[in-house]
Amino acid sequence: MTHKKGRVFSGARPTGRQHLGNYLGAMKNYVALQEDYECIYCIVDLHALTTLETTFELRQNTYEMALDWLAVGIRPEESIVFVQSHVPQVTELHTLLSMVTPLGKLTDLPTFKEKVRSQPNNVNYGLVGYPVLMTADIVLYKAGLVPVGVDQAPHIEFARETVRSFNYRYQTNALIEPEMKVTEVPKVLGIDGQQKMGKSLNNHIELAATPQETTQRVMSMVTDPQRMRRTDPGRPEVCNVFTMHKVFSPAEEVSMIDSECRRAGIGCVDCKKRFAANLNAHLEPFRTRRAALDQNPDAVWDVLHDGARRARQIAEATMEEVRAAIGLAPIQR
Ligand code: TRP
C-alpha cells in the first residue's frame, strides 16, 4: 500500500439498495479511487440515527448497501469497508472534539438549519453534533482526502477548522486537516426529470432491480417537457434520458441520438428503449456478482467485521496520541 498516494475516507448512510444517483454520485468514484489511494469506506449507521424514525430496517439496509458496494467493485482485500458503530473509538473522539467546538458554529451550519426545517419535532442533540461525528470519522483514520458531493462542503470546512482548533489548543499535530475532493458528476435527476434522484421521492432506479423493473422505470422517465408530439424536435441538453445516455451508451449511439432527437428522427419511446437496453447490459455483471454475494450473507458480514478490525487498529493508535496530547491519563489494557 505504500506506493499509493495517500489515504481516502468516505462515508455514506445506510440507505439500503443503492440507485443510479448513488452509483454515479459516489460509488463509481469510490471504486476508481482504489487505484491510487488507500481507501476506507464506512457505512455510517450512527449518523443515520440522527434522522431515522425507526431502526427496524437499519441492519438490512446496512447489509444491502454493503452488497452493492462489494458487487460494484470495492475490493475489501485492499480497501477497508466497515460499519461505523463497529469502531466505538469514533464516539470517544466525537466527545473530545466537541470540547473544542463552539456550539454556535454547529447551529449556524446550513445543513443543520435544513434539518431543523425538515424535522422540527426531532431536533436531537446528535443532529447538532453530526458534523463533529463526521470530523471524528475522518481524522480518526488520518485521512488526507475525502470524496464527497458539494453539499458536504460546509462539513469538510468545519472538519478542517476543528482540526486546527484541536491541534492549537493542545499544541499537537496529532490530527490531520483533510482535503475535500469534490466528486464531479452529471446531475442525476429522478425519473420525474425534475428532482434529484432519491429513494424518499421514489423517483429512483435501483442498481439491483431486475431488467424488467429497470426497463419499466426507464420507460416512465420524463423527457424534454416541450416535446409534446413525436414530430416535435427535442432538446437533448435539457433531457435527463440523454444525460444518462451520455453515461451508459456508446459514443456513436450518443451522437446519433443527439442529432436524431433534434430533428425528430427518433422518438422518446425508442430513445428510452435504447437507454434501458444499454443500462441493463451495463448492470448485468454487477447483478450477477451481487446475487452470488447474497448467497452467503455471513461472508458479507465477515468482510465488514474484518474491515472493522483493521479500522480499529488505526483508530486505537490515533486515540492514544489524542489522549496523550490532551493530557488524559493513559488507559491501562
Ligand atoms: N455526511 C455525509 C453525507 O451525508 C456522510 C458521512 C459521514 C461522511 N461521515 C463521513 C462523508 C465522513 C465523508 C466522510 O453524505
Side-chain angles (χ1 to χ4, degrees), residues 7 9 40 82 87 136-143 311 314-315 318:
R7 190 176 282 166
F9 182 99
I40 307 184
F82 75 107
V87 184
D137 278 331
I138 301 165
V139 303
L140 189 55
Y141 305 102
K142 302 197 181 224
I314 304 173
T318 304

Side-chain angles (χ1 to χ4, degrees), residues 9-13 30 40 42-44 47 84 130-131 133-138 145-149 151-152 155-156:
F9 182 99
S10 195
R13 278 169 288 151
Y30 285 3
I40 307 184
C42 181
I43 299 176
V44 293
H47 276 110
Q84 186 181 34
Y130 186 110
L133 183 58
M134 179 164 161
T135 302
D137 278 331
I138 301 165
L145 213 59
V146 185
V148 279
D151 62 308
Q152 294 295 311
H155 288 160
I156 304 297

